[in-house]
Amino acid sequence: MDVWGRPLRAAEWQEVILRAEAGEFDEPIWNVDRGDSREFDAIFVGGGAGGRFGSAYLRARGGRQLTIDRWPFLGGSCPHQACVPHHLFSEAARELDLARWLSGRLWFGEFEDKRASILELVELFRSGRNTAHSFMNWQSKEQLGMEYILNASATVLDEHTVEVAGERFHARNLVLATGARTEYPDIPGIDLPGVYDFASLVEELDYEPSRCVIIGGSKVAIEYGSFFQATGCPTTIVSRSPLMRTKSLHHVDEDLRQFVVDGMRKRGMTILEGAHPVEIVGNGRATGVVVRLADGTVETLPADFVFIGTGERANSAPFVDALGVEVDERGFIVVNSRMQTSVPGVYAIGDLIGAPMEMFKARKCGMTAARNIMGEPYEFDFSEYPDFLHSTYEVTWVGLSEAEARERYQNVVVIQMPPPGVDPGEIPLPCAEGSMLYAFTHPELTGFQKCVINADSRRIVGVHHVGYGAKDAFQYLDYLIRRGLTIDDMAEMNELFLNPEHFIQLCRLRAGQTQLTNL
């Protein structure tokens, strides 16, 4: 299907994508300017977040790019299987949580577990997920001027050559952007029906789970587990390490971690830390998980739904074989701060190069590669960044934890809500939009926040939040903290009261002190 020069509306793109997914045609979707004789500056192998944004940036700088993806759409796994469903499910968990805690009060009816369905939410997502893809196909072609080949797999032949749909294309550079996949543990029974990860869940689930065991303690485990539990599906997390203490998470404050994990347990979830999965058992379908607990005893956990949340591995093997690119011990491609691999002219971006597996990193990696390809020396350091996850709350943090700050600085003060030593059930703080109903009915559920300050310089070095509505602010706090934001600067801001950023008004209560003290 050649669409070059044919303006397709977003609705027409959606029809093309649906037909391709249904198997009604398997031919490539060509959007290549055959009349342009210029050499490609870069071929992007993978059209997800990194590949699409990198391509658009390179095109905007006057370069010529070609983006290739095996799916019939651009945008990658985020809107199709990963970020977007996760956010839909997390929003559902929040709504379900409120309905449970206020069951039978105010205008809330008595909560009925049977009315909350995992399968129904999955089917809702499936029915609408291609709208984002159709827009990205349209925008990339009509507004951004990108060239691409979709619905066809690319084979990398060498550092300048890619074969797709029986045709070879050459470029000065290659940008590898094929992402990562769930890392399944090597245990018996892992291939039984009834075992899912985040991708197969939205593609294959066809029954209503009644009891879930999650293997792994990653972000995905916490986020999806909180959703499963909120629907009324009893959920157990089996994790080798304490939750939120995995290597992929950095700067997690212990008080924040404790509030989140305690909240998950308070909502009925079973969390087995220091436990190891031994086997998934079943008779043609998963019926349970055998685990070795922290004390060495072995127990079988009944389940008709096993979810894998053990992290991800890079889809790097084809590039190791074809190009000999250097990879680390987990198979992630090694790059420098310009996204250059060990092979000249070959770049790698996004999840393919390891943590953090976040959208901002993928997009900015693509832009970094494009800028260097177009002759602009540009480096991207993503070792420090604002981080987040969802339980039934938005959990967000940036900068140092309190413990890290005390290791680094001699004089550290903390502004915290609820304050240390105060029973959370006695004080409805922090409360703001999103938690006001909790504040007046279950004060202990309103959330948690902490601001960590180097008192000698008065600089804010870490901010941590559990609640609702503050996540967007952390994008800006990250930028400001790295540029030396002080408690006095924070006090100069104008808060839109009531808001989730209690840090502003609380800083104002302390900014007048010559010698800062805890609050």
Side-chain angles (χ1 to χ4, degrees), residues 153-208:
S153 296
T155 301
V156 174
L157 302 180
D158 59 42
E159 60 268 37
H160 299 290
T161 312
V162 173
E163 185 172 83
V164 56
E167 188 171 341
R168 293 187 177 186
F169 293 88
H170 303 273
R172 294 192 301 109
N173 303 274
L174 298 185
V175 183
L176 310 178
T178 52
R181 66 192 183 282
T182 299
E183 178 182 13
Y184 276 65
D186 185 17
I187 58 174
I190 197 71
D191 296 325
L192 280 171
V195 180
Y196 296 88
D197 63 12
F198 70 87
S200 58
L201 170 71
V202 299
E203 299 294 350
E204 302 171 11
L205 186 70
D206 59 0
Y207 67 98
E208 189 62 49

XYZ file of all heavy atoms in Angstrom, residues 153-208:
435
model
N 8.868 -5.756 8.808
C 10.042 -5.871 9.673
C 11.301 -5.492 8.912
O 11.447 -5.794 7.722
C 10.169 -7.299 10.207
O 9.067 -7.626 11.033
N 12.212 -4.846 9.633
C 13.495 -4.454 9.043
C 14.575 -5.451 9.421
O 14.619 -5.934 10.561
C 13.885 -3.060 9.532
N 15.432 -5.752 8.462
C 16.619 -6.569 8.722
C 17.851 -5.708 8.499
O 18.069 -5.190 7.397
C 16.666 -7.796 7.787
O 15.494 -8.589 7.978
C 17.907 -8.642 8.064
N 18.648 -5.537 9.557
C 19.874 -4.749 9.448
C 20.963 -5.637 8.846
O 21.294 -6.694 9.395
C 20.298 -4.213 10.825
C 21.654 -3.527 10.730
C 19.246 -3.235 11.352
N 21.534 -5.203 7.730
C 22.571 -5.969 7.042
C 23.969 -5.500 7.433
O 24.879 -6.302 7.607
C 22.380 -5.878 5.532
C 21.025 -6.376 5.003
C 20.965 -6.230 3.490
C 20.781 -7.825 5.418
N 24.151 -4.198 7.527
C 25.407 -3.635 8.006
C 25.118 -2.247 8.554
O 23.947 -1.838 8.638
C 26.487 -3.605 6.914
C 26.080 -2.798 5.692
O 25.487 -1.707 5.866
O 26.345 -3.238 4.551
N 26.151 -1.500 8.920
C 25.947 -0.215 9.588
C 25.341 0.865 8.695
O 25.025 1.961 9.183
C 27.255 0.288 10.196
C 28.375 0.512 9.210
C 29.265 -0.709 9.057
O 28.740 -1.846 9.081
O 30.490 -0.521 8.917
N 25.159 0.561 7.412
C 24.558 1.541 6.508
C 23.371 0.983 5.728
O 22.760 1.729 4.956
C 25.600 2.052 5.498
C 26.771 2.735 6.129
N 26.668 3.958 6.748
C 28.072 2.347 6.250
C 27.865 4.310 7.233
N 28.726 3.353 6.934
N 23.031 -0.291 5.925
C 22.070 -0.936 5.035
C 20.995 -1.687 5.814
O 21.299 -2.459 6.728
C 22.772 -1.929 4.094
O 23.923 -1.293 3.511
C 21.836 -2.385 3.000
N 19.761 -1.450 5.404
C 18.610 -2.133 5.996
C 17.761 -2.697 4.867
O 17.545 -2.034 3.849
C 17.770 -1.161 6.849
C 16.479 -1.824 7.313
C 18.569 -0.666 8.043
N 17.285 -3.913 5.061
C 16.397 -4.537 4.083
C 14.998 -4.620 4.661
O 14.808 -5.057 5.805
C 16.896 -5.931 3.707
C 16.078 -6.590 2.595
C 16.711 -7.894 2.121
O 16.467 -8.920 2.790
O 17.448 -7.861 1.120
N 14.016 -4.203 3.863
C 12.624 -4.269 4.291
C 11.760 -4.553 3.077
O 11.944 -3.955 2.019
C 12.194 -2.960 4.989
C 12.414 -1.752 4.102
C 10.752 -3.034 5.451
N 10.867 -5.519 3.223
C 9.931 -5.883 2.150
C 10.646 -6.155 0.837
O 10.190 -5.765 -0.238
C 8.888 -4.782 1.974
N 11.796 -6.819 0.912
C 12.527 -7.210 -0.283
C 13.331 -6.111 -0.928
O 13.905 -6.309 -2.008
N 13.409 -4.936 -0.309
C 14.144 -3.813 -0.879
C 15.201 -3.327 0.105
O 14.976 -3.343 1.323
C 13.173 -2.676 -1.211
C 13.801 -1.533 -1.996
C 12.769 -0.536 -2.489
O 11.576 -0.898 -2.538
O 13.160 0.605 -2.825
N 16.341 -2.908 -0.423
C 17.416 -2.430 0.430
C 17.500 -0.909 0.408
O 17.376 -0.291 -0.652
C 18.758 -3.035 0.001
C 18.816 -4.533 0.237
C 20.187 -5.113 -0.026
N 20.214 -6.542 0.271
C 21.300 -7.302 0.241
N 22.474 -6.758 -0.096
N 21.224 -8.589 0.538
N 17.714 -0.352 1.590
C 17.853 1.086 1.744
C 19.186 1.387 2.427
O 19.601 0.654 3.343
C 16.702 1.665 2.579
C 15.365 1.570 1.905
C 14.578 0.427 2.057
C 14.899 2.603 1.110
C 13.349 0.330 1.439
C 13.660 2.515 0.488
C 12.883 1.375 0.643
N 19.824 2.459 2.003
C 21.132 2.828 2.537
C 21.046 4.210 3.194
O 20.288 5.075 2.764
C 22.184 2.843 1.422
C 22.300 1.543 0.703
N 23.127 0.527 1.129
C 21.675 1.075 -0.417
C 23.011 -0.500 0.310
N 22.134 -0.192 -0.637
N 21.862 4.396 4.216
C 21.881 5.677 4.925
C 23.259 5.915 5.510
O 24.045 4.981 5.716
C 20.835 5.686 6.037
N 23.541 7.172 5.799
C 24.820 7.498 6.443
C 24.885 6.936 7.855
O 25.952 6.586 8.346
C 25.009 9.020 6.496
C 25.171 9.707 5.167
C 25.641 11.147 5.335
N 24.722 11.953 6.133
C 24.984 12.375 7.363
N 26.126 12.082 7.961
N 24.086 13.121 8.017
N 23.724 6.828 8.520
C 23.671 6.380 9.911
C 22.458 5.484 10.137
O 21.450 5.574 9.428
C 23.553 7.581 10.859
C 24.684 8.576 10.704
O 25.736 8.444 11.309
N 24.460 9.602 9.863
N 22.568 4.644 11.146
C 21.428 3.868 11.629
C 21.116 4.283 13.065
O 22.033 4.528 13.854
C 21.720 2.366 11.614
C 22.011 1.672 10.284
C 22.147 0.173 10.520
C 20.916 1.959 9.271
N 19.819 4.342 13.387
C 19.387 4.579 14.764
C 18.513 3.392 15.176
O 17.452 3.161 14.581
C 18.602 5.890 14.907
C 18.248 6.124 16.377
C 19.410 7.065 14.356
N 18.986 2.638 16.151
C 18.296 1.434 16.600
C 17.326 1.799 17.711
O 17.712 2.399 18.722
C 19.312 0.404 17.101
C 20.488 0.130 16.154
C 21.459 -0.864 16.779
C 19.993 -0.372 14.797
N 16.054 1.414 17.537
C 15.021 1.850 18.481
C 13.932 0.799 18.624
O 12.742 1.095 18.516
C 14.419 3.176 18.006
N 14.335 -0.432 18.872
C 13.374 -1.542 18.891
C 12.894 -1.916 20.288
O 12.159 -2.887 20.446
C 13.983 -2.780 18.215
O 15.264 -3.060 18.793
C 14.129 -2.561 16.725
N 13.296 -1.160 21.318
C 12.698 -1.329 22.635
C 13.106 -2.572 23.382
O 14.171 -3.160 23.155
N 12.227 -2.981 24.296
C 12.508 -4.108 25.191
C 11.238 -4.923 25.389
O 10.146 -4.518 24.985
C 13.032 -3.592 26.534
N 11.391 -6.049 26.027
C 10.265 -6.940 26.290
C 10.381 -7.464 27.721
O 11.451 -7.392 28.326
C 10.272 -8.111 25.301
C 11.467 -9.020 25.476
C 11.640 -10.013 24.339
N 12.775 -10.915 24.586
C 14.038 -10.589 24.412
N 14.371 -9.367 23.989
N 15.004 -11.459 24.641
N 9.287 -8.001 28.242
C 9.289 -8.542 29.598
C 10.279 -9.683 29.733
O 10.370 -10.553 28.851
C 7.887 -9.033 29.981
O 6.986 -7.929 29.945
C 7.869 -9.643 31.376
N 11.021 -9.663 30.823
C 11.972 -10.730 31.123
C 11.260 -11.796 31.966
O 10.924 -11.563 33.126
C 13.160 -10.160 31.884
C 14.192 -11.187 32.289
C 15.327 -10.573 33.082
O 15.192 -9.404 33.518
O 16.338 -11.266 33.282
N 11.015 -12.954 31.389
C 10.319 -14.023 32.094
C 11.306 -14.846 32.931
O 12.378 -15.197 32.447
C 9.599 -14.940 31.117
C 8.230 -14.460 30.697
C 8.063 -13.285 29.969
C 7.091 -15.165 31.050
C 6.801 -12.833 29.599
C 5.823 -14.736 30.679
C 5.691 -13.570 29.957
O 4.444 -13.132 29.598
N 10.953 -15.165 34.167
C 11.849 -16.010 34.976
C 11.891 -17.429 34.436
O 10.918 -17.920 33.853
C 11.210 -15.963 36.364
C 9.767 -15.664 36.109
C 9.736 -14.795 34.884
N 13.010 -18.071 34.618
C 13.189 -19.441 34.138
C 12.718 -20.415 35.204
O 13.506 -20.942 35.994
C 14.665 -19.680 33.791
C 14.895 -21.057 33.178
O 13.907 -21.682 32.739
O 16.067 -21.503 33.155
N 11.406 -20.632 35.256
C 10.840 -21.560 36.227
C 9.849 -22.471 35.513
O 9.246 -22.086 34.506
C 10.132 -20.827 37.385
C 9.023 -19.919 36.858
C 11.124 -20.030 38.215
C 8.193 -19.268 37.956
N 9.654 -23.688 36.013
C 8.686 -24.600 35.396
C 7.282 -23.999 35.399
O 6.886 -23.318 36.345
C 8.757 -25.841 36.292
C 10.089 -25.768 36.964
C 10.365 -24.316 37.154
N 6.550 -24.246 34.321
C 5.170 -23.796 34.223
C 4.986 -22.394 33.700
O 3.852 -21.922 33.571
N 6.077 -21.723 33.358
C 5.977 -20.326 32.932
C 5.207 -20.183 31.617
O 4.669 -19.105 31.321
C 7.396 -19.701 32.801
C 7.336 -18.166 32.775
C 8.115 -20.229 31.582
C 6.971 -17.555 34.074
N 5.123 -21.267 30.838
C 4.423 -21.213 29.555
C 2.962 -21.641 29.632
O 2.276 -21.702 28.602
C 5.147 -22.106 28.533
C 6.547 -21.610 28.220
O 6.729 -20.381 28.194
O 7.455 -22.436 28.021
N 2.462 -21.914 30.826
C 1.069 -22.341 30.953
C 0.105 -21.227 30.560
O 0.377 -20.044 30.800
C 0.778 -22.745 32.400
C 1.218 -24.133 32.860
C 1.044 -24.253 34.372
C 0.395 -25.214 32.157
N -1.025 -21.567 29.963
C -2.083 -20.565 29.795
C -2.476 -19.997 31.157
O -2.474 -20.717 32.165
C -3.233 -21.379 29.173
C -2.561 -22.535 28.496
C -1.383 -22.878 29.373
N -2.810 -18.708 31.161
C -3.118 -18.054 32.423
C -1.959 -17.267 32.983
O -2.088 -16.643 34.035
N -0.797 -17.276 32.269
C 0.369 -16.481 32.657
C 0.483 -15.324 31.673
O 0.547 -15.529 30.460
C 1.656 -17.331 32.648
C 2.861 -16.474 33.047
C 1.510 -18.522 33.598
N 0.530 -14.091 32.203
C 0.504 -12.898 31.360
C 1.589 -11.911 31.783
O 2.084 -11.940 32.912
C -0.853 -12.188 31.482
C -2.020 -12.990 30.980
C -2.692 -13.865 31.842
C -2.461 -12.884 29.671
C -3.780 -14.617 31.392
C -3.547 -13.627 29.218
C -4.194 -14.494 30.075
O -5.261 -15.232 29.624
N 1.945 -11.032 30.851
C 2.695 -9.827 31.195
C 1.847 -8.641 30.731
O 0.699 -8.812 30.307
C 4.100 -9.831 30.590
C 4.087 -9.841 29.065
O 3.020 -9.624 28.454
O 5.156 -10.065 28.471
N 2.406 -7.419 30.819
C 1.595 -6.240 30.481
C 1.152 -6.246 29.026
O 0.078 -5.719 28.694
C 2.354 -4.954 30.817
C 3.535 -4.668 29.923
C 3.382 -3.985 28.738
C 4.813 -5.087 30.284
C 4.473 -3.719 27.915
C 5.902 -4.829 29.476
C 5.740 -4.140 28.282
N 1.951 -6.839 28.133
C 1.603 -6.849 26.716
C 0.569 -7.921 26.400
O -0.455 -7.654 25.758
C 2.855 -7.052 25.865
N 0.815 -9.145 26.852
C -0.129 -10.222 26.544
C -1.457 -10.032 27.267
O -2.494 -10.516 26.810
C 0.478 -11.584 26.890
O 0.847 -11.665 28.258
N -1.457 -9.314 28.395
C -2.706 -9.026 29.094
C -3.694 -8.330 28.170
O -4.849 -8.750 28.038
C -2.428 -8.156 30.323
C -3.660 -7.559 31.027
C -4.435 -8.640 31.747
C -3.254 -6.451 31.978
N -3.251 -7.260 27.503
C -4.178 -6.495 26.669
C -4.439 -7.171 25.328
O -5.426 -6.860 24.661
C -3.687 -5.042 26.453
C -3.569 -4.318 27.776
C -2.369 -5.000 25.710
N -3.576 -8.086 24.936
C -3.770 -8.774 23.660
C -4.602 -10.040 23.795
O -5.362 -10.392 22.890
C -2.413 -9.132 23.041
C -1.511 -7.949 22.739
C -2.045 -7.034 21.663
O -3.025 -7.391 20.989
O -1.483 -5.928 21.515
N -4.489 -10.739 24.927
C -4.983 -12.107 24.979
C -6.000 -12.419 26.065
O -6.667 -13.451 25.991
C -3.793 -13.071 25.145
C -2.757 -12.969 24.032
C -1.497 -13.770 24.329
O -1.525 -14.565 25.295
O -0.487 -13.590 23.625
N -6.134 -11.577 27.085
C -7.039 -11.926 28.185
C -8.454 -12.112 27.658
O -8.994 -11.250 26.968
C -7.024 -10.827 29.255
C -7.834 -11.152 30.517
C -7.153 -12.248 31.317
C -8.043 -9.918 31.370
N -9.076 -13.270 27.998
C -10.421 -13.562 27.513
C -11.310 -14.144 28.620
O -12.329 -14.772 28.339
C -10.368 -14.516 26.316
C -9.680 -15.840 26.650
O -9.243 -16.030 27.813
O -9.571 -16.687 25.749
N -10.935 -13.930 29.886
C -11.756 -14.401 30.997
C -11.576 -13.443 32.168
O -10.677 -12.601 32.173
C -11.369 -15.818 31.401
C -9.977 -15.930 32.009
C -9.796 -15.968 33.390
C -8.846 -15.995 31.195
C -8.521 -16.062 33.943
C -7.578 -16.095 31.737
C -7.416 -16.132 33.118
O -6.169 -16.221 33.662
N -12.436 -13.547 33.140
C -12.352 -12.678 34.313
C -11.537 -13.360 35.406
O -11.957 -14.378 35.956
C -13.751 -12.350 34.846
C -13.757 -11.284 35.929
C -13.236 -9.952 35.431
O -13.694 -9.493 34.363
O -12.367 -9.366 36.107
